[in-house]
Amino acid sequence: MSARPYVIDEMISAKEIAARIEALCRDIRHVFPADERLVVVGLLRGSFVFIADLVRELSDRDVEVDFLEASSYGDAMESSREVRILKDLRGKIEGRNVLVVEDIVDTGHTLNHVIHLLESRLPKQLRTIALLDKPSRREVDFRADYIGFEIPDEFVVGYGIDYAQGNRNLPFIGKVRFTGA
Ligand code: IMP
């Protein structure tokens, strides 16, 4: 936990998130065949709440859930350029329909790296969805196929997203505002 005191200002409410997920899933249903299983791959740890809501919204589909963990911020607020796979998928994705779920696309390095890796395994169809996108921070040319909300360059927490491993359990997205020294 940071030594600097801060408060969290709500930016996107739980209700707004739920409505957006409903709309995103309507688009996703058009892309993936209804009679084939969809492998939903969550990037740990930030996507765990988003993926839980997403797969339940897709309860009319045959869905398999898998997880992959790539290194990102560690406990700091700055992204590292070097992406490492800390935990790989349990299942095979060759010839299968895959939806990769990320919490935030910031510089783009993490998802860019992960997508190249997963594409090399020859899925039938691979799409990416990110709850949040900070386009002004991008360092590589990457855009998720589906985006929940575009946000400005603010450090955010909640709905699975952490600051120094805290605040993941907030039901809304809030921005961190440092107060005092
Ligand atoms: P990228 O490789 O720079 O796109 O980093 C993406 C990852 O950085 C996300 O999956 C988050 O784990 C983390 N991240 C980016 N922005 C924030 C933020 O505002 N709050 C918390 N984590 C963030």
Side-chain angles (χ1 to χ4, degrees):
M1 186 51 99
S2 159
R4 287 173 73 194
Y6 64 93
V7 294
I8 296 166
D9 300 322
E10 184 170 308
M11 186 189 241
I12 307 169
S13 71
K15 228 173 162 174
E16 288 173 297
I17 297 170
R20 188 70 188 116
I21 289 176
E22 228 185 288
L24 287 166
C25 285
R26 279 197 292 274
D27 293 346
I28 289 167
R29 276 193 197 88
H30 286 129
V31 167
F32 293 104
D35 57 348
E36 291 177 18
R37 176 170 281 195
L38 176 63
V39 184
V40 180
V41 171
L43 263 62
L44 291 172
R45 280 171 264 177
S47 73
F48 82 102
V49 177
F50 184 33
I51 200 173
D53 282 345
L54 205 60
V55 296
R56 284 180 296 177
E57 185 61 35
L58 294 169
S59 59
D60 55 320
R61 292 294 176 106
D62 179 13
V63 163
E64 178 176 322
V65 176
D66 207 339
F67 292 99
L68 187 142
E69 185 171 13
S71 61
S72 62
Y73 279 23
D75 280 348
M77 289 176 78
E78 275 306 309
S79 183
S80 70
R81 307 307 176 250
E82 187 208 340
V83 179
R84 287 176 302 129
I85 302 300
L86 304 177
K87 182 206 168 296
D88 206 340
L89 298 178
R90 290 290 291 270
K92 298 227 179 315
I93 57 166
E94 185 175 344
R96 309 182 74 191
N97 299 298
V98 180
L99 179 66
V100 179
V101 183
E102 173 67 308
D103 55 354
I104 309 180
V105 186
D106 187 44
T107 63
H109 287 287
T110 307
L111 214 40
N112 195 40
H113 180 92
V114 166
I115 295 313
H116 276 106
L117 173 73
L118 298 184
E119 288 282 14
S120 73
R121 296 177 187 176
L122 306 177
K124 179 181 173 195
Q125 219 188 149
L126 185 146
R127 293 281 195 281
T128 52
I129 180 168
L131 179 68
L132 304 175
D133 187 17
K134 295 187 200 172
S136 65
R137 295 260 308 162
R138 202 70 90 253
E139 291 178 7
V140 291
D141 184 21
F142 179 86
R143 191 175 156 81
D145 298 301
Y146 305 101
I147 290 162
F149 304 90
E150 270 194 13
I151 60 168
D153 182 12
E154 301 279 2
F155 195 81
V156 295
V157 292
Y159 198 73
I161 301 164
D162 75 302
Y163 174 37
Q165 299 308 326
N167 302 304
R168 290 192 197 271
N169 55 333
L170 297 175
F172 57 86
I173 299 287
K175 72 176 179 194
V176 171
R177 181 163 52 88
F178 290 99
T179 55

